[in-house]
Amino acid sequence: MVQQEKFMLKWLKELNQEEVKRVGGKAASLSAMLKEGFLVPNGFVLSFSNHTNDVDNYRWGIKSFYSQMGNNVSVAVRSSASGEDGKEHSFAGQYSTYLNVNGWEGIVSAVKRCCFSLTNKRAQEYRESKGITGDNYMSVVVQEMVPARFSGVMFTKDPITNDESKIYIETTEGLGDKLVGGTVTPSLYVIEKKEFKVVEEHVTSGPRIFMVDLKALCNVGKDIEKFFKSPQDIEFCITKMGLPYIVQARPITT
């Protein structure tokens, strides 16, 4: 762990109850799921408070943590800002995300750009439209990339009808950045939660997901919903071996 008064660098799985309060919703939920035993990629979080985000001052810490991940591993660098991925606001797509980043110097550069996105015009307009005032701060999550055959989002209730007996899944082949960016039409699966019955299916992006993999994913979704005690908006990756990794979970805000 690297920690100073206005800066913290720590493994997600080692955050304590006080520390999760300052790392933003994304990092907090990932930490909680790791501790609970869910399949979440290994990673660490950098927390900058009071607008202290001079990343270059902490390059050595980033290098040290990355070396413990294996040095040659590819990582995702994602924002975890104050107010993001909470019960009231998601901030989905407002801040920067960088995938397949290699090398500690590449991570430093991506972390800088994540920090700068806190004050971009899009994020400022979002905060104004939601009436969000007060201080804002940026934490950044660095996690190992998952070799994804499929990626997507899973809502543990139907986000359109609010039917809590259904699980709503959108998927695409490979990484989910095109899905999140709206550049592909995802495949859709609507599944009856209790008996695991597919009630609606539209395969438009890549091959169909195996039923056994869909079932495993839904079971994880149900467990996460139970763990957080509310319906969840979950981002996932499914490997070629059918393992469902969870890369984000937040309350459904739509």
Side-chain angles (χ1 to χ4, degrees), residues 107-119:
I107 296 174
V108 170
S109 176
V111 169
K112 286 182 182 180
R113 285 176 283 168
C114 263
C115 289
F116 289 147
S117 71
L118 181 67
T119 55

Side-chain angles (χ1 to χ4, degrees), residues 91 121-133:
F91 278 84
K121 182 178 179 181
R122 185 174 61 212
Q124 290 176 332
E125 290 177 346
Y126 181 90
R127 285 193 290 269
E128 290 173 2
S129 71
K130 301 296 183 181
I132 301 171
T133 59

